[in-house]
Amino acid sequence: MQDHSRLQGVRRPGGRTARTRAAVLEAAMAELAEKGYAGTRIEQIAARAGVALSTVYRRWGNLDGLIQDLVNDITVEQPIPDSGALESDLAAVGRIIVGLHRHPVHRPWMDALIMTAIREPGSRLLLSETIQARIRRAAVVVERAVERGEIPADTCADEVIRMLAAPFYYRMYVSGEPVTDDLAGLSAARVMAAVRAGAVRDPGAAPR
Amino acid sequence: MQDHSRLQGVRRPGGRTARTRAAVLEAAMAELAEKGYAGTRIEQIAARAGVALSTVYRRWGNLDGLIQDLVNDITVEQPIPDSGALESDLAAVGRIIVGLHRHPVHRPWMDALIMTAIREPGSRLLLSETIQARIRRAAVVVERAVERGEIPADTCADEVIRMLAAPFYYRMYVSGEPVTDDLAGLSAARVMAAVRAGAVRDPGAAPR
């Protein structure tokens, strides 16, 4: 698992630039959680962070650039699991999802983004891009399993990660059932069964 | 598949009581889609439907009772698939989900309910109860497969339906990838592989 202290926020040691970045990202998370994507203004983030607006524009361009950086910041904190077996790597990816969604700082602004994505195309696009980047990153565990010869070579790596992640989000945002600790292992085992049966192939692959 | 004309709304032949119910449910869908759960008032639904407020209170009690009736109304329109094989029954359940979420009348108020459930406990509880009732109803296809001896007897029927449904909602509300026509068949095949491998058992069942 990731070093839990890194998940407490984006505070970290470093020079003035690093402190500015940390202050702006923290202000962005707070504004997003309070006001949602539509209600968040880059001017208010700069004011809240005590940073010149020109600095924020120069570094991030706009709110979307800032949110991308926020998601990257969380994502790079999480090492990609590499246990040597796909099922335990998938369970570790599942535990990262659980950890983020139980997190007191990250959960509120993620909820805000999911909520506003339902009605705003801009928010929808941003959420899709960030989720797809996270899927791509986690898909490396599947590609390594293909290289090891552990699973069929035509397995669709991105689709394996989507299948793994879907039950967590379904419980969180749709059915409302609790995301229990055992869900990471259960979801990993189910995905493995489908992968071994050749049911998670690239769409272009020939049918069995 | 269900008779598509039934999904156009809740208009149907019948006496005055049936017409009143149809008018109120239709007004409720419109108000929910426009204003969300938090902004919807039973007084405005009654006014929009041209029905006395006392009639609405007498019949449905409150907004939650009205939404339950709305969900029931959609649910009973959909016959439970019974093809004799679990995989094709699951694919049919998947197509029902696709149909509802492409539906011009039902999609907006369902979106509104999912959105408000993120921040409001009352809306969350209502959504959970309605989704869980729909899971229970669809789980009959799994129970029939157990009775036929097609799948392990200790398969958790509700969990099979959750696993089937999760990828649709994940795409719709999280990753934003399109819900394609082939997803129903793909999801059904993946669930079947996991069920056959004994990976979707009742939590209380002994481990393999």
Side-chain angles (χ1 to χ4, degrees):
Chain A
M1 287 295 293
Q2 70 283 355
D3 172 0
H4 193 260
S5 65
R6 303 294 300 274
L7 274 175
Q8 292 306 319
V10 290
R11 277 185 235 273
R12 62 196 53 170
R16 196 178 149 192
T17 308
R19 283 198 304 275
T20 298
R21 177 169 179 253
V24 171
L25 293 189
E26 216 153 318
M29 287 192 288
E31 289 284 315
L32 282 164
E34 286 169 22
K35 296 166 189 169
Y37 180 79
T40 297
R41 298 283 167 268
I42 206 162
E43 291 80 1
Q44 289 167 309
I45 293 172
R48 188 169 191 146
V51 167
L53 183 58
S54 60
T55 305
V56 177
Y57 276 124
R58 195 166 52 241
R59 177 147 187 175
W60 290 279
N62 56 26
L63 180 61
D64 287 1
L66 223 166
I67 295 178
Q68 287 285 7
D69 194 28
L70 197 51
V71 175
N72 289 341
D73 190 83
I74 295 166
T75 305
V76 297
E77 285 178 354
Q78 297 152 349
I80 298 170
D82 193 8
S83 67
L86 181 56
E87 185 163 341
S88 53
D89 284 354
L90 291 175
V93 172
R95 285 192 298 270
I96 290 172
I97 299 174
V98 174
L100 275 177
H101 282 270
R102 287 185 184 167
H103 198 279
V105 174
H106 296 310
R107 178 71 190 261
W109 69 265
M110 286 178 168
D111 281 357
L113 199 53
I114 289 197
M115 206 158 57
T116 51
I118 293 174
R119 58 180 164 196
E120 289 176 19
S123 187
R124 169 76 274 158
L125 187 65
L126 177 69
L127 179 62
S128 296
E129 285 173 357
T130 54
I131 290 283
Q132 282 158 27
R134 286 187 56 193
I135 291 171
R136 273 278 77 225
R137 193 176 140 88
V140 170
V141 304
V142 186
E143 287 159 2
R144 285 188 190 133
V146 167
E147 284 162 25
R148 285 193 300 265
E150 193 185 343
I151 56 169
D154 59 355
T155 302
C156 180
D158 287 12
E159 196 64 4
V160 171
I161 301 300
R162 280 186 210 108
M163 191 182 164
L164 176 81
F168 297 92
Y169 291 97
Y170 178 74
R171 278 172 179 71
M172 288 187 274
Y173 296 111
V174 182
S175 74
E177 285 136 341
V179 175
T180 50
D181 286 330
D182 61 350
L183 189 58
L186 287 172
S187 187
R190 290 164 190 174
V191 172
M192 281 307 294
V195 168
R196 287 198 190 104
V200 196
R201 293 170 182 239
D202 269 318
R208 274 182 298 168
Chain B
M1 287 294 291
Q2 69 284 356
D3 172 1
H4 193 261
S5 65
R6 304 296 300 274
L7 274 174
Q8 293 305 320
V10 288
R11 276 185 237 275
R12 62 196 52 172
R16 195 177 150 194
T17 308
R19 284 198 305 276
T20 298
R21 176 169 179 252
V24 171
L25 293 189
E26 216 154 317
M29 286 191 290
E31 290 284 315
L32 282 164
E34 285 169 23
K35 296 166 189 169
Y37 180 79
T40 296
R41 297 282 168 270
I42 207 160
E43 290 80 1
Q44 290 167 310
I45 293 171
R48 188 168 190 144
V51 167
L53 183 57
S54 60
T55 304
V56 178
Y57 277 123
R58 196 167 50 241
R59 176 148 187 173
W60 289 280
N62 56 25
L63 181 60
D64 288 1
L66 224 166
I67 295 179
Q68 287 285 8
D69 194 27
L70 198 50
V71 175
N72 289 342
D73 190 82
I74 295 166
T75 305
V76 296
E77 285 178 355
Q78 298 152 350
I80 298 169
D82 193 8
S83 67
L86 181 55
E87 186 164 340
S88 53
D89 283 354
L90 291 175
V93 172
R95 286 193 297 270
I96 290 172
I97 299 174
V98 174
L100 274 178
H101 282 270
R102 288 185 182 166
H103 198 277
V105 174
H106 298 310
R107 179 69 190 262
W109 70 264
M110 286 177 169
D111 281 359
L113 199 54
I114 289 201
M115 206 157 58
T116 51
I118 293 174
R119 60 180 163 195
E120 289 174 17
S123 187
R124 167 76 274 158
L125 186 65
L126 177 68
L127 180 61
S128 298
E129 285 172 356
T130 55
I131 291 283
Q132 282 159 25
R134 287 186 56 193
I135 290 170
R136 274 278 76 225
R137 194 177 138 87
V140 170
V141 304
V142 185
E143 288 159 0
R144 285 187 191 134
V146 167
E147 283 162 25
R148 285 192 300 266
E150 193 186 342
I151 56 169
D154 58 355
T155 302
C156 179
D158 287 12
E159 196 64 4
V160 170
I161 301 301
R162 281 185 208 108
M163 190 183 166
L164 176 82
F168 296 92
Y169 291 97
Y170 179 74
R171 280 171 178 71
M172 289 188 274
Y173 296 111
V174 182
S175 75
E177 285 137 339
V179 174
T180 51
D181 286 329
D182 61 349
L183 189 59
L186 287 171
S187 187
R190 290 165 189 172
V191 172
M192 280 307 294
V195 168
R196 285 198 192 103
V200 196
R201 292 170 183 241
D202 269 319
R208 276 182 299 170

